[in-house]
Amino acid sequence: MRIARFSVDDEPKYGVVETDDPEGLTGTVNVLDSDPLYRPVQFTGEKLQLADVRLLAPVIPRSKVVCVGRNYAAHAAELGNDVPEQPLIFLKPNTSVIGPRDGIVYPEQTHDLNFEGELAIVIGRICRDLPKERVNEVIFGYTIANDVTARDLQKSDGQWARAKGYDTFCPLGPWITTELDASDVRVSTELNGEPKQDGRTSQFIFDIPEVLAYITSFTTLLPGDVVLTGTPAGVGPMLPGDEVSVSVEGIGTLTNKVIVRD
């Protein structure tokens, strides 16, 4: 099931998407009566064309976006970093979240803005001290993320809050896929149609059960929280006017354009 959050006349709604288009530009959406994270799926009977709606970020995290850094050995190597001995965790504020086709704002404080395509996990249940064998009980579904990073600020600041936390630095979408075996799916990124990243989740240093068990060993995850699982090798710069598309096998494609704030 593909669950989308969308708007018509600026009113956010939820629906189940039916489409063969990985970006959801064509197809239909069956409208739901409420957010399915908190109530069972119930259709209103209304059916809309995707061309007539605006897809939004499929979830606005209730409290946080939790991210795993350097979870592919090749990505750690390309930036000259060692492979971590345990998951390397950082946070993005929920104010960094935007949706499909929304603009990624290029801040004036950076001169090296990078894309990082990733698989993202959407949490469906409150969890703390989660055993690895029970992770599937708390996963609502999966979506696509771009962990936008001001690489020069990441290096100069010594910590990553600013470099990864600007408004618009966490595109999510185009929807949540609730049924996916995420243990070995392709994660790829294109910049202006040119392939840049290509990896598989089977290459994770720390797999999804390890990641969620580790995160919940020190913090509680809430319904709607999002976990970014790490990016493959091939990260690189993007400039105003560039279009970046992140694709995850079994989910679809998330596309955003880099803009300068007016």
Side-chain angles (χ1 to χ4, degrees):
M1 184 179 295
R2 297 167 173 165
I3 296 177
R5 181 170 164 266
F6 65 95
S7 66
V8 179
D9 299 327
D10 295 326
E11 180 185 354
K13 296 183 179 181
Y14 295 85
V16 174
V17 170
E18 296 177 359
T19 183
D20 294 323
D21 183 345
E23 295 189 62
L25 301 178
T26 61
T28 59
V29 57
N30 296 283
V31 181
L32 301 175
D33 69 346
S34 61
D35 185 345
L37 262 171
Y38 305 107
R39 290 183 58 187
V41 168
Q42 183 69 44
F43 294 99
T44 65
E46 183 181 11
K47 193 170 188 176
L48 302 171
Q49 296 296 312
L50 282 170
D52 297 331
V53 310
R54 177 191 172 200
L55 290 177
L56 307 173
V59 60
I60 298 297
R62 178 186 286 186
S63 64
K64 54 194 173 293
V65 180
V66 187
C67 310
V68 186
R70 303 173 190 164
N71 203 21
Y72 287 80
H75 170 58
E78 73 178 343
L79 297 181
N81 296 310
D82 294 331
V83 172
E85 296 183 1
Q86 57 188 8
L88 178 60
I89 304 300
F90 61 94
L91 302 178
K92 283 180 177 275
N94 58 12
T95 49
S96 68
V97 172
I98 57 172
R101 299 285 167 182
D102 288 341
I104 299 169
V105 176
Y106 200 114
E108 62 181 12
Q109 295 89 348
T110 183
H111 301 286
D112 190 12
L113 190 67
N114 283 205
F115 54 82
E116 295 190 8
E118 309 198 9
L119 171 74
I121 305 166
V122 180
I123 300 299
R125 294 176 56 184
I126 296 174
C127 50
R128 176 70 199 270
D129 294 321
L130 183 67
K132 295 179 185 178
E133 61 272 14
R134 298 188 63 185
V135 296
N136 287 335
E137 298 177 24
V138 307
I139 295 174
F140 179 76
Y142 298 89
T143 190
I144 304 171
N146 186 349
D147 175 20
V148 178
T149 304
R151 192 70 67 199
D152 48 353
L153 302 184
Q154 183 184 26
K155 294 175 182 177
S156 65
D157 287 359
Q159 48 80 31
W160 302 357
R162 182 169 68 135
K164 290 176 174 285
Y166 278 91
D167 291 355
T168 77
F169 273 24
C170 190
L172 297 176
W175 43 64
I176 298 168
T177 297
T178 59
E179 297 177 9
L180 179 72
D181 180 356
S183 61
D184 183 26
V185 296
R186 185 185 183 195
V187 180
S188 58
T189 304
E190 293 185 353
L191 185 70
N192 301 323
E194 181 181 349
K196 293 294 184 180
Q197 293 185 278
D198 196 350
R200 304 194 68 86
T201 57
S202 55
Q203 299 168 331
F204 283 160
I205 298 168
F206 305 102
D207 64 18
I208 290 172
E210 291 177 286
V211 164
L212 292 187
Y214 183 81
I215 292 170
T216 60
S217 71
F218 66 85
T219 190
T220 300
L221 290 175
L222 303 178
D225 281 352
V226 175
V227 177
L228 275 55
T229 56
T231 195
V235 301
M238 49 187 181
L239 297 170
D242 285 345
E243 186 173 82
V244 58
S245 296
V246 183
S247 298
V248 175
E249 182 182 7
I251 302 178
T253 299
L254 168 68
T255 296
N256 298 90
K257 196 167 186 175
V258 183
I259 65 173
V260 176
R261 189 180 302 279
D262 294 334

